[in-house]
Each structure stands twice: as C-alpha cells, then as structure tokens.
Amino acid sequence: MPAVHVQSQPLRGYRARNPHWQKAAARQNPVRPASKKGATLGKPSRSLRKRGQGIQNRRQNRGRGVASDRLRYRTGCPVDRARKTETPSILLPNSLRNAIFDAHQFIALTSIYVPLTFTILSLRRKARERHEANKMLPEDPPLTITATASDPVTGAPTGSAPIIRDAVMHAFAAMAVAILLAGEAAPAVIVAWLAAVALAQFYAARLERSRHELSSSLPSFYLGAVLAALAWVFPLWAFGLQIGTEAATQLWAVLAVMMAASALRATSAPITAFFFSGIVGISSAAWFLYATNPGMAAIALLFMATTSTVIVERRRSIRPASAPGAQPSSDDAATLPFQCEFGHDDAHWHWQTDATRRLTEVSRGFALATGRDPSDLKGISLRRLIAGARAGDAPSDGTELAERMKRREDFSGLAMQVRVDDRPRWWKLSGEPHYQEGIFTGYRGTGCDITESRVTLEMMTRLAHYDALTGLPNRAKLTEVLAAALDRSGLRRRNACAFLMIDLDRFKAVNDTLGHDVGDTLLARVAERLREQIADSDMCGRFSGGAFAVVIPEASDLDRVRLLVRRITDRLIQPYEIGQHTVFVGASIGWAVGPHDGSTAETIMRNADLALYRAKETRSNSHCRYERSFHAQAEERRKLEIALRSAMKRDELHLAFQPVVDAQSEAVVSFEALLRWRSTEYGPVSPEKFIPIAEETRLIVPIGEWIMHEACKAAASWPGDVRIAVNVSGEQLLDPNFVSSVIGALTTSGLAPERLEIEVTESIFLSDATRACTALEHVMAVGCTVALDDFGTGYSSLGYLRRMRFSTIKLDRSFVHGAAGGNRECLAILQAVVTMAESLGMSTTAEGVETRREVDMVRKLGCRKIQGYYFGKPADALAAQALFAMS
C-alpha cells in the first residue's frame, strides 16, 4: 500500500528551536499506508472527531504526547487514536495558521505597550498644563481633598503601605504566570510581558498617589486600573490555546486571586477595583467561550459577579453617606477627621501653604469665608489671617495651631474663633504636613465654617447650665463652679470658699394666693436684687423653686461673708411692687465654708442646707452658719421620724389636758388637748421636736385623727358645760377627709358639736387659704367653734378676722410675759387686741399665765379666759376628771 505524506509548513523562529514544537511537527508529517479509499484530506468524519476528542480528554497535559494535544487544541485538527497523529484541516494551511498565531501574540503585546506609551505622554502633557495653571486661583476642586493619610471618600489609609502591598502581590502573581508559560512561550515574550505588568503597576501607583493631590484627575486615575487589567489578561489570550486546558485553568486561577485581592482593597479604591475585576472577568469568560469551554466561562462570570457584589457591599458598609448628592452632617464633621465635601458647597473649603506657612492656594469657599478677594490671600500667613488685624488678638486655639504647624504635626477638627469683617466667626481646621521627596513643602488642609453649629451648641449649653426664668446659673453650673473653687482652695493654703443657700419665706403663699405669674415675676426680681449685692468674682444662681444660692470663691475673710449675708437678707425683705400687688417675702440663709466644712461640692451643699434648716427653725429672716453638731441633730431627726411612724402602733402616744378657767370666777370652762409622746427607745420626746417632723412627713394627718377621737371620747364624760379644744394643723385642713373625721369622732363619742373647739394658727392661710377656710366653714356648720391660736406671733393679718368668724382669739404668752415685765409695746398690743375682739364679738384667752401678778394684769385688761401653769399643768384624763370632783 503506497504511503500518503501529509506535509505541513516548516517551523520558523523560536518554534524551530523548541523541542516540543519539533515533536509536534514530526507527528504532523507521518508516513503511513494509504487506505483503500485513499487519504482523507477533506473534513474528518464524525467518528474520527469523537475518537480524537476522547483521547484528548484522557491524556495528561504534562509528559509524552502533550505537544500533539496542544497542537490539536490550537489547530482544531482531530487526533488519530491508533498512531497518535493528527489529521490537519485542509481549510487553513499550517503556514497561514502559524503566521496568524504570531500576529495574534504581536497584536496582544502591542495592545499593552501602545496604551501605556500614550498614557505616559498624556500624563506629561497634563503635568505641564497643571504647572502653568498653578499661577491662577483654582476654582472648586473636582475631588474631595483630605489633609490626613486617609482616603477622601472612605477614610481608608492611603499612604505608601497599600501601594507596597499591591506591588508585592503583583510580583508573586507575575512569577506564577511566568512559571506556567516557561517552555511554552518565547523567553523574550515572557520578559516583555513582565515588563508591561511592572510598568502598568508603576503608573497605577503614581496615579494612586496623585489621586490625593489638589489637581488630581478622575479619568486618568481609573485609566490605571484599565491598563493593569489589560496587562493581566494578555497571557490568557496570547498563550491559552498553546499551553492546554489545565494550564489555562491554572492561569485563570491566578487571575481569580488578583480579582479577589482587588475586592479586598475596595475600601480605598472601590471604582478601580470594580474596573479591574470587570475587565479581567469578562475577558476570561470570553476566552473560555472562544476555546469551546462554556463551563469555565460560566464559572468566570459567576466569580466576577461575586467579587463585584463584595466590592459594592464593602463600599456601602464603609461609607453609607457617600451617595451622590449626600452632604456630611455636623456630627460627621465633629467625629471624623476630614469628611467635609468640597466643590459646590461654599461652607466647606481647602487651603494650602508653603514651607513658611503662607497661603499658596485656596478654594473659592475659603475666599468667601474670609470675605476677601482670592488674590489678596496669597502670601498671607495663615496664623495672621486667623488672629485678625490687631496685634495680640490671636485666640488660644490660634496659638495651638501655630505651635502644631511649627512642629509640623497633624491637627484635626481644631475649632477656633476668628473675626471676619469685625464679626466673630467659628472655623474648624484640619491639616497635615506635605513632603515631596523628603523635603517639607508646606501644609495641605481642609476647613469649614461652624458658626451656626457653634451658636446652637452654646445655646444648648446655656440651657443646660442656666435657668430660663431668671437667667441665673442653675444647680449644675453652681455645683461645677463650687467644685472648681474647692480645688483652688485645696491647692492654695489659707484660702477658703463659701456657699450660701437662700430660701424665700412665704413664697408658696404668694404662688397660691396671687398665682404663678406673680410668683415667676417675684423670682425674677429676687434674682436682680441678688446680682446687685454680690461681687464680680461671686456667682449667684437659682437652686430650685424658691431657693437661691451664692458661690463665693474667695472667702478667707468671714466678716465679709457675714456682711454679705446681712445685706442679702435686708434687701430681699423689702416690698416688691408687682402689678397691682405689694408682695412681702422673707429670706432664710444657711451657709458653709470650704474646705473647713467639707472637701467636696456635695458635702458643702448638704451642710449649707442643714444650716438653712436650722435658720428656718429659729425664725424668719435669719441666717445660720453650719456647725458640726447639725449632723448629729439631723441624724437624730431621721431616727425620730422612723420611731414616730411606729409610735401609734406601740401605743406610745397619749393626750394631756390643760385647764382653761374663767378670768372672773376662775372656774374651769374648757380643756386644751395636748399631744405627748413617751418613746420606749428615746423616752419622753418634746412636742417641739416631733410635731414639725409629723407635719413635714404628713404623719400629722393620721395622728390628728387619733387625737380628735381620743379628745372627744374623754370630754364626753365631763360636765356638759365644759368644752374640749383640739389643735388642728394646716395639713389636716387640706385633707379631704378632715370634716368627715370630725363628724365621725363626734358621733362615736356622743359629744355635742358645740362642746368641740378647733384651734388653728395663722399659718393655715399661707398654704391654701381657700381650702382651709372651706373646711373650717363646714366644721362650723356642724356646730363646732373655731379659735385663732398664737395671734400676733405668726403672719398676722386683720383680713383673717374678717374672713372667718372666730369664737376666741388666744393671746400668745410672749405678750403676757412682756406686759407683766413692763414692756409698753406688749401692753399696748394686748389692750388693742382685747378691745378689737370685744368689738367683733369674740372672746380672748391669755396663754402662759404663771403668776398671780399676771392673772391680775390680764383680768384688768379685760381678757375673759386664762390658761397657764398658775391654774394647772397639762395632765392625763384621770387627773382632769379628779379636778371636777374637787370642784
């Protein structure tokens, strides 16, 4: 059988020297017997193509026979399974196929170098244009400028470290690709490709750095990513068909690693990472489709979509507010170093100085913020611009700015006050030193006008530290100032500070009787008078309600403090003309000195409050300095309160009855029920101690109800013409169940209502006069009588006598003792009150009569009844009953 020779074109160039290509050429020119039907030079049969495809799928890419498989992959010729030869296609001669493949590699390599060359020329041309444009003031910059080593959009680091990491990553990836191409491509081509990758990476790094310059260009920056992507897809298109399926897949794996790495650094350059991944992914998928491998093409597209999703999500998680048109809030400007957006917002701007800290470039917003022409700003010292026109007008923040710039330090969010057209403005500046080839060239920074936010902040601070009604500092501000004064006193020996607690007497009565509008006006007037009395170094404020306070930082001279206390007291008791009303209030003052009376602000305030309480216990319009014994008294008061709450359950309370006699016959006409407490823990407790506690804690309400029932029960066994007098507190009158409790006591005991007399003091008209009078009128409607006790010692007003029909006016013992001692004023008061009571149809009772001389005196004045130790001390119910038996 004659042999059929299938001769292809001879190998040329580096293929003639490559042993793999020589073996492949030997297999392309076999000498074999011709079949009966002759050599098949047309299109291979379907069965032959299937056998060749099966052999290709079973063979390894490395080892013997690889060259024929790669040749089949490149030419598309089927492989003879028996002889391991390939049947070339007659449609395209081998010489033409080799020429096309060489042209393919040349075009692919040219596609890398030509854009790079044009890019270099374009960058040089733009650099010359920027150099010429630097002589003019730039308009709003197209990019966000930052003055810190962070990305202007995302805040990610943008120093040399990321660039070095990218270079190392590209170097290792390039080495892996070179190893895959070794032996399959000409060494010159591999070296040229490595040079293209290095050149593309170098210019991408340069564009990365220029992104943060004032004159950076966005399109040229993205061009770096495009060039890098084209350089990396070149090996797949140039050598993919030549190196075989498995090696091509390994090459794509390297590209996939590069795509993943670009997705991971998307925080600093999201758009460039998106471009790089998109170009590499689409190019890889297109090549696999060209190589009739749709499975790998689908995998490449899926991986590209995954990396793109990662890039988008990381972009959103790092900077959600970077959507188009988004503006940074004031909070962002306060918390992030430089997040001010520049460009079309004149409220945010950038600046640049030279090495002498003189301005060289400013944005339009900076020029508008200074109120000057842009050309006038060049060459002006930044500190001089902030300090103002007058010498020595630089604020402390301006000094800090100068010091930092002198030391070439970064500064971020430095707020300072400046003057623009003789108006105060607030700026927030940030900046960092700029170096070029290791030489300091000046500062580049950002700034924004924060006057509105500063004014709002100051307003909120004032609301938090000052009282809106009086304009005085509030409790928080007073505490802060007192703490600072105590700190200074501790540092400097022989120095002291004082704290005055001032409480307005009868202020609640003003609110209840004249209304809260008058009360608010009164507080404002009191604040004005306090300001008049204190020195410039002192601070007065409103503590709470009707309480004020004064902080005296320098109180070494206690005589000055006492003088100030007396001046304040005398000034505040002067009448206030508010509308059609004349208002009188008093002032009680308690004060403490630090650090003698306390080392902390809280301790000083607590001790001054204890002194105030003692002053109010003494009398109205008084003052008292803190003493250490006040703590023991306060503790005793607290313990008495606890014991008083359980006194009724333990039957520790009982009543004592003091007789009231007729002034002429000296016969017993009534008894006054007096409360007594014999504690199992503290023994007999004075009413002067526990009655105020009961009134403050409202324990007087249940205790008063118990007194009413016990007194009526005891009086029911007395003669029918003897009355019982029960003292009632103002808190009891305000209780809605007071009238019902009185009626219940009368009903339970069977006592006639006319035998019960309710004794009240003038203080009941200061809390809620309307409710108190209403309760008394209901009691009087039942048949009980009402007596006014301690007349002349409290808040005496003849209007009370007109409003209420009192049956008896009781004269306080102080007037009786004074008149008996020869005091003409007391004697005149007693005569006037007795005469007035007789005119109003009321009887009078003289209290505290202890001697025969006092009995004769009050009898001569015309008093109808007398009460005192001369006729009997308070005793229990059995003693009172025995007194009737003796009569």
Side-chain angles (χ1 to χ4, degrees), residues 196-318:
V197 171
L199 190 60
Q201 180 62 22
F202 173 75
Y203 281 100
R206 285 195 57 181
L207 293 174
E208 172 74 16
R209 286 184 175 274
S210 66
R211 182 165 62 104
H212 307 287
E213 303 296 331
L214 298 176
S215 57
S216 60
S217 177
L218 192 63
S220 62
F221 171 63
Y222 295 152
L223 182 60
V226 175
L227 295 177
L230 293 177
W232 277 102
V233 299
F234 168 76
L236 188 63
W237 281 93
F239 310 110
L241 296 177
Q242 176 180 340
I243 61 179
T245 305
E246 183 176 351
T249 305
Q250 294 174 359
L251 180 57
W252 177 83
V254 175
L255 299 181
V257 171
M258 299 298 297
M259 295 168 62
S262 66
L264 292 178
R265 67 180 299 268
T267 55
S268 61
I271 305 300
T272 58
F274 192 82
F275 281 170
F276 183 84
S277 298
I279 294 175
V280 173
I282 294 175
S283 300
S284 301
W287 183 86
F288 281 116
L289 288 176
Y290 173 75
T292 65
N293 196 340
M296 284 300 300
I299 293 176
L301 290 177
L302 179 61
F303 189 81
M304 182 201 67
T306 303
T307 55
S308 301
T309 304
V310 170
I311 294 171
V312 173
E313 292 300 325
R314 287 180 63 83
R315 166 70 171 177
R316 291 178 178 176
S317 63
I318 295 298

Side-chain angles (χ1 to χ4, degrees), residues 225-443:
V226 175
L227 295 177
L230 293 177
W232 277 102
V233 299
F234 168 76
L236 188 63
W237 281 93
F239 310 110
L241 296 177
Q242 176 180 340
I243 61 179
T245 305
E246 183 176 351
T249 305
Q250 294 174 359
L251 180 57
W252 177 83
V254 175
L255 299 181
V257 171
M258 299 298 297
M259 295 168 62
S262 66
L264 292 178
R265 67 180 299 268
T267 55
S268 61
I271 305 300
T272 58
F274 192 82
F275 281 170
F276 183 84
S277 298
I279 294 175
V280 173
I282 294 175
S283 300
S284 301
W287 183 86
F288 281 116
L289 288 176
Y290 173 75
T292 65
N293 196 340
M296 284 300 300
I299 293 176
L301 290 177
L302 179 61
F303 189 81
M304 182 201 67
T306 303
T307 55
S308 301
T309 304
V310 170
I311 294 171
V312 173
E313 292 300 325
R314 287 180 63 83
R315 166 70 171 177
R316 291 178 178 176
S317 63
I318 295 298
R319 181 78 184 280
S322 60
Q327 295 294 337
S329 63
S330 59
D331 294 337
D332 294 335
T335 55
L336 297 179
F338 300 98
Q339 295 296 333
C340 296
E341 296 289 342
F342 306 113
H344 302 288
D345 190 357
D346 293 332
H348 304 93
W349 21 264
H350 77 273
W351 50 270
Q352 182 176 344
T353 68
D354 57 13
T356 61
R357 298 189 294 275
R358 295 182 178 275
L359 293 173
T360 57
E361 287 188 4
V362 295
S363 66
R364 182 183 62 187
F366 189 96
L368 293 176
T370 58
R372 301 189 184 187
D373 190 79
S375 59
D376 297 337
L377 293 176
K378 284 194 174 184
I380 296 179
S381 171
L382 180 62
R383 188 195 176 204
R384 184 66 180 175
L385 180 66
I386 294 174
R390 291 175 295 176
D393 196 27
S396 59
D397 293 331
T399 305
E400 181 182 358
L401 173 66
E403 291 296 327
R404 291 199 178 189
M405 295 184 73
K406 183 178 180 180
R407 295 191 298 264
R408 299 178 183 177
E409 296 177 351
D410 296 349
F411 53 91
S412 174
L414 189 60
M416 59 191 66
Q417 189 177 26
V418 299
R419 298 194 66 84
V420 178
D421 296 334
D422 292 333
R423 292 181 302 171
R425 305 290 295 179
W426 281 93
W427 289 357
K428 178 179 287 187
L429 297 180
S430 303
E432 71 168 1
H434 184 68
Y435 296 89
Q436 188 171 2
E437 297 180 358
I439 300 175
F440 175 69
T441 59
Y443 266 84

Side-chain angles (χ1 to χ4, degrees), residues 727-767:
N727 291 281
V728 175
S729 171
E731 295 294 332
Q732 292 178 260
L733 294 177
L734 298 179
D735 183 43
N737 299 322
F738 172 71
V739 178
S740 60
S741 66
V742 173
I743 297 175
L746 294 173
T747 304
T748 303
S749 63
L751 184 69
E754 59 271 10
R755 294 180 60 189
L756 176 62
E757 187 175 58
I758 304 297
E759 289 190 7
V760 297
T761 60
E762 296 165 324
S763 61
I764 65 171
F765 299 102
L766 299 180
S767 54

Side-chain angles (χ1 to χ4, degrees), residues 426-495:
W426 281 93
W427 289 357
K428 178 179 287 187
L429 297 180
S430 303
E432 71 168 1
H434 184 68
Y435 296 89
Q436 188 171 2
E437 297 180 358
I439 300 175
F440 175 69
T441 59
Y443 266 84
R444 291 182 179 178
T446 63
C448 54
D449 192 306
I450 58 171
T451 303
E452 294 183 2
S453 60
R454 186 77 180 196
V455 171
T456 303
L457 179 61
E458 291 179 352
M459 184 181 301
M460 294 176 62
T461 303
R462 180 171 182 82
L463 292 176
H465 291 87
Y466 289 84
D467 178 56
L469 177 62
T470 62
L472 296 178
N474 58 13
R475 179 171 184 169
K477 184 65 175 180
L478 289 171
T479 304
E480 179 182 337
V481 174
L482 179 59
L486 285 172
D487 292 340
R488 289 193 297 270
S489 300
L491 294 176
R492 293 180 291 178
R493 297 181 178 180
R494 298 182 182 179
N495 194 17

Side-chain angles (χ1 to χ4, degrees), residues 151-212:
D151 188 85
V153 179
T154 65
T158 59
S160 59
I163 298 177
I164 295 175
R165 288 195 299 266
D166 291 346
V168 172
M169 178 185 66
H170 280 263
F172 278 104
M175 290 174 59
V177 174
I179 293 174
L180 290 175
L181 297 180
E184 307 299 336
V189 175
I190 297 177
V191 171
W193 174 77
L194 291 175
V197 171
L199 190 60
Q201 180 62 22
F202 173 75
Y203 281 100
R206 285 195 57 181
L207 293 174
E208 172 74 16
R209 286 184 175 274
S210 66
R211 182 165 62 104
H212 307 287

